[in-house]
Amino acid sequence: MSIKKKGFNIAIDGLSGIGKSSIGCQVAKRLNFTFIDSGLFYRYIADRFYLDDTIQLNEIHLFKNEMIGYVVVGYDTTTKILPSARVKLILEADFETRVYRRAKQLNAKEFEAIRKVFSDLLKRDVDSFDLVLEAKKGATIINTSDLSIEQVVARILSRILWVRFSDYNMLHFIIFILFVFVYTLHTLFQNLTSIFGTG
Ligand SMILES: Nc1ncnc2c1ncn2[C@@H]1O[C@H](COP(=O)(O)OP(=O)(O)OP(=O)(O)O)[C@@H](O)[C@H]1O
Ligand SMILES: Nc1ccn([C@@H]2O[C@H](COP(=O)(O)O)[C@@H](O)[C@H]2O)c(=O)n1
């Protein structure tokens, strides 16, 4: 069963340093999907232009163009960039866990370096807190505080399988109901014909 052929996209959102890129990338690899880190576009654009509404809208338009088989990570992915994603996920973890992971990622060991990681994350949380809060309303939340990257990936893959399984069974259910409906009509028609038969 190919998930890709059936038009299936995955959107992953969450606060800074939560693991969107590392986890999204692994999930895409496992499914043989295309991985897009929307943050990369923003960083690239922000380096060159003033990030105004026009640029954001163009980018969003680009993402909405009939995408199939994508894992897109970043802010607003579940709400604005890929609102039609079949699987929408929000990753979350304790603030201390994120500071620890980011410090490890940046190899920050000195007090000053860790303080900077702390204050950067705090600032970015303040900037994006409302967006992520809004996104949480329509997505599946996975708390990763006590999970390794592999465990989070496994959890996401099983969620995807479950959604795929439900879609598949829903289709069969609808076909079954249609079949029962047609069969009942057919039987009713036969009974009526035998009662009020032409002979
Ligand atoms: N469940 C986890 N367990 C341990 N480490 C993790 C876990 N998830 C992510 N990490 C580590 O946390 C660090 C930050 O992850 P990552 O860069 O993927 O976050 P992000 O959400 O994409 O960040 P940003 O929003 O700033 O782009 C990385 O070093 C990653 O390996
Ligand atoms: N979908 C997105 C992604 C990013 N941004 C903004 O770009 C900054 C860098 O993003 P990272 O995910 O690489 O940290 C981020 O702070 C956002 O301001 C965005 O608006 N929408």
Side-chain angles (χ1 to χ4, degrees):
M1 176 177 64
S2 164
I3 293 176
K4 203 170 179 176
K5 274 188 195 141
K6 303 282 180 188
F8 208 94
N9 297 306
I10 296 145
I12 306 179
D13 201 339
L15 292 168
S16 184
I18 189 63
K20 299 182 292 292
S21 323
S22 27
I23 286 162
C25 184
Q26 297 275 333
V27 171
K29 260 189 203 152
R30 294 286 294 272
L31 296 173
N32 199 19
F33 274 28
T34 306
F35 173 69
I36 294 181
D37 180 352
S38 65
L40 284 181
F41 285 78
Y42 278 81
R43 276 187 241 161
Y44 177 83
I45 292 165
D47 274 355
R48 282 157 182 77
F49 309 102
Y50 173 68
L51 191 59
D52 65 7
D53 281 344
T54 320
I55 292 167
Q56 290 203 31
L57 279 177
N58 283 343
E59 189 181 336
I60 287 163
H61 181 71
L62 177 84
F63 279 127
K64 275 185 182 162
N65 269 344
E66 296 303 316
M67 298 169 50
I68 292 173
Y70 281 81
V71 175
V72 185
V73 306
Y75 297 126
D76 291 344
T77 41
T78 61
T79 49
K80 293 186 185 148
I81 294 178
L82 206 51
S84 63
R86 190 62 191 87
V87 179
K88 298 181 183 185
L89 302 162
I90 307 289
L91 302 180
E92 62 178 17
D94 307 334
F95 185 70
E96 308 87 77
T97 309
R98 286 191 294 129
V99 172
Y100 172 78
R101 288 177 187 166
R102 184 63 103 204
K104 200 169 160 201
Q105 181 182 33
L106 299 174
N107 203 18
K109 290 185 181 134
E110 308 300 323
F111 176 79
E112 190 46 36
I114 295 171
R115 194 198 60 77
K116 186 166 178 340
V117 166
F118 186 97
S119 60
D120 281 354
L121 274 184
L122 198 59
K123 183 185 173 310
R124 293 174 78 176
D125 276 10
V126 171
D127 291 344
S128 51
F129 192 80
D130 286 348
L131 292 178
V132 176
L133 199 64
E134 186 58 30
K136 273 185 181 181
K137 291 179 192 163
T140 302
I141 300 166
I142 300 180
N143 191 316
T144 75
S145 296
D146 299 320
L147 301 175
S148 67
I149 291 186
E150 293 70 30
Q151 285 172 320
V152 181
V153 171
R155 216 167 260 210
I156 292 177
L157 291 174
S158 61
R159 169 80 198 148
I160 292 168
L161 270 183
W162 172 247
V163 170
R164 192 71 202 92
F165 177 75
S166 320
D167 285 354
Y168 199 62
N169 281 338
M170 184 54 81
L171 185 70
H172 281 102
F173 182 68
I174 291 169
I175 292 171
F176 175 73
I177 294 292
L178 276 177
F179 177 79
V180 170
F181 182 70
V182 171
Y183 182 77
T184 312
L185 272 185
H186 178 75
T187 315
L188 195 71
F189 184 73
Q190 272 189 335
N191 287 344
L192 286 176
T193 319
S194 66
I195 295 170
F196 305 105
T198 48

